[in-house]
Amino acid sequence: FRYSNGAIALSSNWMKGGVFTMGNLLTLSNKHTLEDLQHEFGHYIQSRIFGPTWLPLFGMPSILNATFGKGYYTLKDYENSLYTEWSAGKFGRKYW
C-alpha cells in the first residue's frame, strides 16, 4: 500500500503480473516495477485532468487495447501501442 499525491497504490497477488487503474486507485501485481507504477500513476493524472470524460476517452480504449491488443511484451512497446498509453507513460515519468 502506498499513497502519493492523492493516488492509492495497492499490490496484490490477484493481479498475476497485470496492472489496472481506475480513478485514484492503482492496482498492481506484487511483481510490479517502478516503470509499471509510474505508468499507472500517469493514468491517474489523466483522470485528474479529464475528469468524467477519462473513462470513455482513455479508460475504455486502454482496457480494450490491453485485452485485445497484439500481445505487447515490454512496457515500451505497450506505451507505443495507443495514445492512451504513451500519454500515461509521459505523465507518469514527468510527475513521479
Side-chain angles (χ1 to χ4, degrees):
F1 168 78
R2 294 182 187 146
Y3 179 82
S4 178
N5 297 315
I8 300 168
L10 302 172
S11 296
S12 169
N13 284 330
W14 177 76
M15 292 302 290
K16 304 228 187 258
V19 293
F20 183 78
T21 296
M22 182 61 76
N24 70 331
L25 184 61
L26 291 61
T27 307
L28 304 111
S29 79
N30 283 337
K31 297 178 182 178
H32 71 272
T33 64
L34 175 60
E35 290 80 14
D36 294 331
L37 186 56
Q38 287 175 329
H39 179 84
E40 294 306 307
F41 190 74
H43 283 301
Y44 163 67
I45 293 169
Q46 289 171 336
S47 74
R48 298 284 298 181
I49 293 169
F50 291 93
T53 63
W54 176 83
L55 189 58
L57 293 176
F58 292 88
M60 291 308 296
S62 182
I63 290 168
L64 292 171
N65 184 45
T67 304
F68 301 109
K70 297 179 180 178
Y72 300 100
Y73 295 108
T74 68
L75 183 59
K76 182 178 180 183
D77 291 338
Y78 185 70
E79 283 186 358
N80 290 325
S81 67
L82 191 65
Y83 72 95
T84 61
E85 305 311 324
W86 61 257
S87 171
K90 179 180 168 186
F91 283 136
R93 285 186 296 276
K94 183 174 181 180
Y95 294 107
W96 184 258

